[in-house]
Amino acid sequence: MKIKSAKVVVCSPGRNFVTLKIITDAGLHGVGDATVNGREKAVVAYLEDHVIPTLIGRDASEIEDIWQYLYRGAYWRRGPITMAAISAVDLALWDIKGKAAGMPLYQLLGGASRKKVMVYAHAQGMTIEEAAEDVAAKKERGFVAIRAQVGVPGLPAIYGVGERANQAKGGMVNALPHEETWSTSKYLVHVPKLFAKLRDALGDELHLLHDAHHRLTPIEAARLGKDLEPFRLFWLEDPTPAELQEGFRLIRRQTTTPLAVGEVFNTIWDARLLIEEQLIDYIRTTSSHAGGVTGLRRIVDFAAIYQVRTGCHGAMDIGPAAMAANLHLGLWAPNFGIQEYSGYTEETHAVFPHAFTQTGGYMHPGEAPGLGVDIDERLAAKYPYERAYLPINRLEDGAMWNW
Ligand code: EZ4
Ligand code: CO
């Protein structure tokens, strides 16, 4: 079965998505997600100019060889744009393999290890009361795990809370990056109060998560981890930027709050030390950014040796094809932990018909062959690309900081 053609579809049914469609001479096609938020068109050019021409005529069944060809052949190893392009090709080829076999992806991986995939929802509020109401509302809808974010008194709305966090766009509402103000000291005293309130109001059973969005230094993250210990978080996410993997040693020595990191990682190398030294509990790499099924499966197996579990990135910029792959991997992986799912707009659900389903706080990838996701190109054309960026942070003295 040879690759006959491939094309890239960009659409914005709520948020920008880059989708690769690979078509074979046997009439089967596969879809993959290549979305890199805020850099969508760079991946489009990479795929159209440098990847698609090399794919035509190749055997669609040789997924590993094509992965290695694109990874090694690029000369420029790793990087988010290269790896998103490779991921999309890989996802589309696994989709095709599943269709050819008449099996859902999780069966090709070795079958299900569990009946359903636990997901966590996002909740937020400008104040502790608002955030607590949102968490309670999500719990009411059946979620058993919820990420809670809160505004900080004395600061304007920060990323993840307030109007810009609106669910349709997931925070990406600005045609140029919006500049926000950040104060670590104000944040550090406030956040533990949110979780005290949540435990008080909602009891001990609910899994609570929190995302620090790379804004802390290791010693600040260690302080937050300690202060949150009484509230037994499921995890503290992105406590500090992980370019310096060794930085996590300091946090780890100080706190038993479980740590999660990796939504911006694109290969196993980004997490090697973190995993080998057991500095984290959950690895957040996702199928559209870390090399597709092939790349992510390798990370998952490596992590299993060190008792690190999965917690794949699944915000709304992770397109439905990648979400489906994450769910198949989650159903299979013996060391699955949790899957992020912040939901899609109705328009997105319609543009990407899918077999995956959600029942309360759990999802299932469905039984359709392959990934179980397609793209309705005619509908997609009604939602053209819209320039949109995440915000950036400055400290109160004007210095640049992490978002
Ligand atoms: O900010 O994917 O854990 N999830 C996150 C997300 C990211 C978005 C960016 O588009 O941090 O909300
Ligand atoms: Co995050």
Side-chain angles (χ1 to χ4, degrees), residues 232-244:
R232 291 165 297 98
L233 262 59
F234 187 93
W235 79 34
L236 172 61
E237 175 182 340
D238 291 350
T240 198
E243 287 95 319
L244 183 68

Side-chain angles (χ1 to χ4, degrees), residues 356-403:
F356 64 74
T357 53
Q358 180 186 3
T359 312
Y362 295 87
M363 292 179 76
H364 192 284
E367 301 297 337
L371 296 178
V373 171
D374 212 334
I375 180 164
D376 180 336
E377 291 180 61
R378 244 188 253 170
L379 196 53
K382 292 191 180 153
Y383 306 102
Y385 169 79
E386 285 178 48
R387 183 177 298 279
Y389 295 96
L390 290 170
I392 55 173
N393 268 310
R394 291 186 188 276
L395 298 176
E396 287 167 299
D397 70 358
M400 282 295 307
W401 198 244
N402 296 300
W403 63 272

Side-chain angles (χ1 to χ4, degrees), residues 13-17 33 35 37 122 159 164-172 289 313-320 323 340-345 348 352:
R15 192 155 177 163
N16 292 316
F17 293 110
D33 178 37
T35 309
N37 72 56
H122 288 187
Y159 178 70
R164 287 193 179 77
N166 83 73
Q167 286 298 296
K169 306 258 180 192
M172 291 190 70
H289 296 147
H313 191 203
M316 53 182 61
D317 51 332
I318 304 306
M323 178 61 63
E340 183 181 24
Y341 182 60
S342 63
Y344 294 119
T345 62
T348 301
F352 297 94

Side-chain angles (χ1 to χ4, degrees), residues 24-173:
T24 67
D25 60 4
L28 289 178
H29 74 270
V31 294
D33 178 37
T35 309
V36 177
N37 72 56
R39 297 292 182 272
E40 295 86 357
K41 294 202 167 182
V43 196
V44 175
Y46 194 109
L47 282 166
E48 287 180 347
D49 295 342
H50 307 297
V51 171
I52 290 175
T54 72
L55 292 179
I56 309 305
R58 279 180 196 280
D59 184 340
S61 69
E62 294 179 352
I63 302 177
E64 185 69 44
D65 185 68
I66 291 174
W67 196 101
Q68 299 293 341
Y69 173 83
L70 292 173
Y71 185 81
R72 292 162 201 275
Y75 181 79
W76 304 104
R77 290 169 184 238
R78 308 159 60 181
I81 306 303
T82 293
M83 294 310 295
I86 293 176
S87 300
V89 173
D90 189 83
L91 289 169
L93 293 178
W94 277 103
D95 191 23
I96 290 167
K97 195 179 277 299
K99 287 175 178 171
M103 284 186 205
L105 174 62
Y106 79 83
Q107 291 291 5
L108 299 183
L109 293 169
S113 296
R114 58 186 52 72
K115 295 190 185 78
K116 51 190 181 174
V117 175
M118 180 167 68
V119 297
Y120 71 91
H122 288 187
Q124 55 90 17
M126 280 297 286
T127 62
I128 287 175
E129 289 66 34
E130 261 179 48
E133 272 173 35
D134 198 15
V135 173
K138 300 271 156 61
K139 182 174 181 251
E140 203 54 38
R141 281 173 46 195
F143 285 101
V144 295
I146 301 170
R147 185 190 89 167
Q149 306 294 121
V150 69
V152 177
L155 294 182
I158 51 173
Y159 178 70
V161 300
E163 233 167 84
R164 287 193 179 77
N166 83 73
Q167 286 298 296
K169 306 258 180 192
M172 291 190 70
V173 295

